Amino acid sequence: MEGPDLGSPLGLPPGAGPSRSHRCALSARGLEKVRQQLQEEVRQVSSQLLEERKRRETHEALARRLQKRVLLLTKERDGMRAILGSYDSELTPAEYSPQLTRRMREAEDMVQKVHAHSSEMEAQLSQALEELGGQKQRADMLEMELKMLKSQSGPADQSFLFSREEVNSLRSKVEELEGARSRLEEDKKMLEMRLERLTLQGDYDPSRTKVLHLRMNPASAARQHQHEEHAQLQEECERLRELVRALERGGPVPAGLEATAALPSSKEVTELRKQVESAELKNQRLKEVFQTKIQEFRKACYALTGYQIDVTAESQYRLTSLYAEHKADCLVFKATGPSGSKMQLLETEFSRTVQELIELHLLRQDSIPAFLSALTLDLFSRQTVA
């Protein structure tokens, strides 16, 4: 499939005459191009006007600085001339000394230099004033040109506003045609790729191509072998499904399925279930016995040592004394070393109150049993006194 002929405006046939919408589109495009050109010229003239204004301000500042400098040099020159005049009027030729003569010559040289410098400054000032006048004249010309361009762009903008709706409608139609063409091109590419892929896979056009098949075709033999394997796998899956359904029902397994799957008989399955149930029952009884023995052992330890031992975390043990004044009064030991052969006392609020016993029995004597015995006696004495 081919897209619309884009050589003619808006895809019209070459022989067809321009319609009203076509003429409107051309006029709108011409007006828009003219408006864009005028806007570009306005922007250029505005930028040039701005640059000329900046240059004029720079020259005006330079002229003001030069005028101030010329004024200062003129005052300095007049002062030097007055000083020389006073020397000439006060001294006679007989009173001149070589030093005074030298100073007078230096003063005259300085006056000449100042005069030359002031002349040069005046020349620069006059040149700057001339350039400033030229810049002002050019800025005025640019302003007039800008006004003329703005007055010319007014009618173009009005005509562009009048035809904006038509331009928008034509633009939307062009966009739709472009979208349709891009879609058709994508479809064409996809069809070409699909045709190429089918050709590579062995597809052909029967009306143009004639294919000869061999009697002993390897591809046909492979397909036949694959079909037979698929049928065998389906039969095996079906037999396994029947076996699973029979086992789920708990009934006898069919003889054909037992021979095929080589599974134990229903009697053997029943005996195995009974053995599993008896083993689970025995395990449950052992758990109950162990739990009972553990409770008896903990109670015996509590009664014999006076401390209830609880495992709070991995390798951590909490000891609560039988004679503790508060339920929160406890000691926490952590097993350290290989296989937990050493115990380390962790700091708690209760351990801070028995620092003397810790220093004596743990730090000096290094004996945890002595520390626990001393603590038990201390707590027992407190309750007895109370």
Side-chain angles (χ1 to χ4, degrees):
M1 297 177 67
E2 297 181 356
D5 186 9
L6 298 179
S8 61
L10 297 178
L12 292 174
S19 60
R20 181 176 178 274
S21 60
H22 185 200
R23 292 195 298 272
C24 291
L26 292 177
S27 61
R29 289 177 182 174
L31 290 174
E32 186 175 2
K33 187 179 293 184
V34 170
R35 185 179 66 85
Q36 291 177 356
Q37 291 177 357
L38 291 175
Q39 287 181 352
E40 184 66 25
E41 291 179 1
V42 168
R43 283 195 294 269
Q44 293 179 359
V45 172
S46 300
S47 62
Q48 292 178 2
L49 180 60
L50 183 61
E51 292 178 358
E52 295 299 332
R53 285 178 179 175
K54 290 182 179 178
R55 292 177 183 175
R56 185 181 66 183
E57 292 176 357
T58 305
H59 284 85
E60 287 178 354
L62 179 61
R64 286 195 294 271
R65 288 198 299 271
L66 292 175
Q67 286 177 357
K68 290 181 181 179
R69 191 168 183 181
V70 168
L71 182 60
L72 291 174
L73 291 174
T74 304
K75 289 182 179 180
E76 186 175 356
R77 184 190 63 185
D78 295 339
M80 296 297 293
R81 286 179 178 176
I83 291 172
L84 290 176
S86 65
Y87 274 114
D88 292 337
S89 61
E90 291 178 0
L91 298 177
T92 60
E95 295 177 349
Y96 285 161
S97 62
Q99 185 177 5
L100 183 60
T101 303
R102 182 173 57 81
R103 291 183 63 184
M104 288 180 64
R105 287 177 181 175
E106 291 178 355
E108 288 177 356
D109 294 338
M110 186 178 295
V111 168
Q112 290 178 1
K113 290 180 180 180
V114 169
H115 183 69
H117 190 63
S118 63
S119 300
E120 184 179 357
M121 291 295 104
E122 288 178 357
Q124 291 181 3
L125 178 61
S126 61
Q127 184 179 359
L129 291 175
E130 290 178 0
E131 292 180 358
L132 181 62
Q135 297 291 339
K136 286 183 178 179
Q137 186 176 2
R138 188 175 179 184
D140 294 337
M141 291 176 63
L142 289 173
E143 287 182 354
M144 292 176 62
E145 187 176 356
L146 180 61
K147 291 179 181 179
M148 291 176 63
L149 289 174
K150 287 183 178 179
S151 62
Q152 291 177 4
S153 62
D157 291 336
Q158 291 178 1
S159 60
F160 178 74
L161 291 174
F162 290 149
S163 60
R164 185 178 294 274
E165 294 181 356
E166 296 180 358
V167 170
N168 291 333
S169 62
L170 293 173
R171 186 176 296 170
S172 62
K173 290 181 180 178
V174 171
E175 290 176 356
E176 290 178 358
L177 292 174
E178 290 290 338
R181 189 188 68 174
S182 62
R183 288 193 298 271
L184 290 174
E185 288 180 354
E186 291 178 358
D187 294 341
K188 180 182 177 183
K189 290 179 180 179
M190 290 178 63
L191 291 173
E192 289 177 352
M193 292 174 62
R194 189 178 299 174
L195 179 61
E196 184 178 359
R197 187 169 60 250
L198 292 174
T199 304
L200 293 175
Q201 290 177 358
D203 197 4
Y204 62 95
D205 188 2
S207 61
R208 297 181 180 181
T209 306
K210 186 176 182 180
V211 179
L212 298 177
H213 296 279
L214 298 176
R215 181 173 297 177
M216 299 297 294
N217 193 347
S220 301
R223 283 195 293 270
Q224 182 66 25
H225 182 66
Q226 184 179 5
H227 181 70
E228 292 176 356
E229 286 184 353
H230 182 67
Q232 291 177 2
L233 291 174
Q234 282 185 345
E235 292 177 359
E236 188 174 356
C237 288
E238 188 62 30
R239 286 197 299 270
L240 291 175
R241 288 195 186 97
E242 293 178 1
L243 178 61
V244 169
R245 285 195 291 268
L247 292 175
E248 287 178 352
R249 289 194 300 268
V253 179
L257 295 178
E258 287 182 359
T260 303
L263 294 175
S265 61
S266 58
K267 293 182 180 180
E268 294 178 356
V269 172
T270 305
E271 291 178 358
L272 291 173
R273 285 180 180 176
K274 289 180 180 180
Q275 290 178 6
V276 171
E277 290 176 359
S278 64
E280 290 178 352
L281 182 60
K282 188 183 294 184
N283 191 15
Q284 183 66 26
R285 289 178 181 175
L286 288 174
K287 287 181 180 180
E288 292 176 357
V289 171
F290 287 154
Q291 189 70 24
T292 304
K293 293 298 181 181
I294 290 171
Q295 293 295 332
E296 290 179 358
F297 179 76
R298 292 186 64 198
K299 289 179 181 178
C301 290
Y302 185 57
L304 294 174
T305 63
Y307 288 97
Q308 181 179 351
I309 303 175
D310 297 315
V311 181
T312 58
E314 185 177 359
S315 300
Q316 286 190 5
Y317 305 95
R318 182 180 61 197
L319 276 67
T320 306
S321 177
L322 176 63
Y323 305 107
E325 297 178 352
H326 304 285
K327 292 183 178 181
D329 295 344
C330 63
L331 299 172
V332 178
F333 288 90
K334 182 177 181 181
T336 59
S339 67
S341 59
K342 293 183 179 181
M343 290 289 178
Q344 181 182 0
L345 178 64
L346 302 180
E347 186 179 2
T348 59
E349 294 182 0
F350 179 65
S351 65
R352 298 192 192 99
T353 61
V354 292
Q355 290 295 327
E356 296 179 357
L357 298 176
I358 292 173
E359 292 178 0
L360 176 60
H361 298 288
L362 294 181
L363 299 180
R364 295 181 185 177
Q365 300 175 355
D366 192 16
S367 177
I368 294 176
F371 167 67
L372 295 176
S373 301
L375 181 59
T376 302
L377 291 174
D378 184 42
L379 295 174
F380 179 73
S381 62
R382 291 180 189 177
Q383 288 191 0
T384 304
V385 171

